[in-house]
Amino acid sequence: MVSAVAAYLPLFLVTVNLIPVTPIVEERPFPAADEIISLVQGKSRKRVFLVPHTQESDPISEAYAYCNTPNRTEQAWEGHSPADYKLLSVQVMIRHGDRYPLYYIPKTKRPAIDCTLSTDKEPSHPLLASFIRHMGQGSRGHWESPLASVARLPNHSACEMGELTQTGVVQHLRNGQLLRQAYRHHSFLSPDWLPREVWVETTGRSRTLQSGLALLYGFSPDYDWTKLTVHHQWSTLFCGSACDCPARNRYLEEEQRRQYRLRVADVELERNYADMARTLGVATRLLRAANPIDSLQCYFCHGLAFPCVLRGEDGAGGCLTKAQFAVIRRQQLEDEVDRRKVGLYHKYAVLAMHPYLNRTAAKMEKVAKASVAGRARSEEVFSLSSAHDVTVAPLLSALGLEDSKFPRFAARVVFELWRSPSEEPRKQPGKAEKVLDREMFIRVLYNGEDVTFHTTFCRTHDRHSRQPLCPLKNFLSFVRRDMFRSMDATSYQEACSRHSG
């Protein structure tokens, strides 16, 4: 049975989608000259600690960062650890790549973008041609219903609404290649991996399925299709069988009301919408309902001129402008500040993402126990979840990464499980739990940056101590108990059944 939250998610997408926040680390296709991002290294030359970003955000610069145009060299800090630590598993949550708009601006032509793939157009990638060929063999894979009927490649010369573009495919081929390079010296997953070692899941949208397949191919080119099963997640929250949570739905409703009140109180924003509506010759309420920012962002990311309409006898006509686009982006930035201050979204996020985080914790613990027991290649060590902004944004909030940048196209969150060099003889009776506590550690990375010590569960850990990584037990305690403290509860079930003020 579909949870009640499904009824709210479309509105949530309209009001929250494309809302950037002040970033932990800024990544810009066209870097702002007045902004320098400082990286401070810890005791290990491979560990990075971030200087919080405090400058006021610029709407247009944030819009460039959101596009995530694949035209620059990117540093990935995945796979870095102190010497002699062993990587045991990697779990990745991604947002799909660049897509065609979900909404249509009234009286304008749709953006002219070709969604077929070709190595003869930009952006391209060295793996694009072989990726296209490999997807042609996809019938040999195993697909949970209804994924077998979903296109494995974007294939319309005139993009359909929400369809992944070639830019989106290239973004995730790059992501996969970055992870392959980052982990090439680690043996947690062999090139001839077994079916039980890899888990891939996606929602039923073509853009998430195709994004996940692109990243997997960049990570493991020419993998054996017969070894791959692609699992279906019906909910954008990836909550599986634990989606029923009345309190989560109520927090979502309250968050939407907060957003609405802030938006209608913004005089400049309302004037801006009225000006845009007059240009198009439509009612302001009709333009607002069409969520013009979604379509304008597509024009912006693809370097297309903003849409125009011919001037008529009623005086309407002209072109929408970058200045109007910037006003809407400015309001979204301000909404993010208010959202963090009020805290309703964080409570929603904790309940929304607990099922996914609980699965993540359970997988890590299982792999850790297998390592202690000396079982090789017996557990799932690489997981890939291909999702949406309404998945990744609450995940970041639930982890306490409130200052992290709103998920750009092809954003990635990575959880790594590490084991430190053993300090005691292996397999001593009664020592398994102590080994788990003492030797197992977690790293969390967002778009290649180590944000572990910005998370709620490891913010107080002494990063300069003798043990420079975050203990796995911190994460397990956080997911199973501590993350519900803000709701005066000690479990997911208890938090879902109550609603604190």
Side-chain angles (χ1 to χ4, degrees), residues 51 77 83 94 256 305 335 368 402 431 443 454 494:
V51 175
W77 288 94
I94 61 172
Q256 290 170 340
D335 177 82
E402 298 290 350
K431 295 291 185 181
R443 291 178 77 223
H454 294 273
E494 183 183 0

Side-chain angles (χ1 to χ4, degrees), residues 101-117:
L102 296 169
Y103 302 93
Y104 171 66
I105 298 178
K107 293 193 175 183
T108 66
K109 293 182 179 180
R110 293 170 53 179
I113 299 174
D114 181 355
C115 274
T116 57
L117 302 184

Side-chain angles (χ1 to χ4, degrees), residues 115-137:
C115 274
T116 57
L117 302 184
S118 171
T119 56
D120 295 329
K121 67 180 184 181
E122 295 296 331
S124 191
H125 190 277
L127 291 176
L128 182 60
S130 59
F131 169 68
I132 295 171
R133 290 193 298 271
H134 194 69
M135 291 304 104
Q137 305 169 19

Side-chain angles (χ1 to χ4, degrees), residues 1-5 233-235 237-246 248-249 350-359 484 492-493 496:
M1 181 176 179
V2 177
S3 166
V5 74
Q233 279 285 349
W234 66 267
S235 169
L237 299 181
F238 284 60
C239 46
S241 61
C243 289
D244 186 22
C245 185
R248 177 197 62 216
N249 301 341
V350 166
L351 297 179
M353 295 313 300
H354 174 263
Y356 171 79
L357 286 170
N358 194 44
R359 281 196 298 132
F484 308 110
Y492 179 63
Q493 290 75 19
C496 284

Side-chain angles (χ1 to χ4, degrees), residues 6 11 91 104 159 177 208 219 254 323 387 424 484 492 498:
L11 176 59
Q91 298 187 57
Y104 171 66
C159 295
Q177 192 173 53
T208 52
F219 179 67
E254 292 181 12
E424 294 184 8
F484 308 110
Y492 179 63
R498 65 168 59 184

Side-chain angles (χ1 to χ4, degrees), residues 39 93 116 416 494:
L39 298 178
M93 167 74 80
T116 57
E416 296 177 343
E494 183 183 0

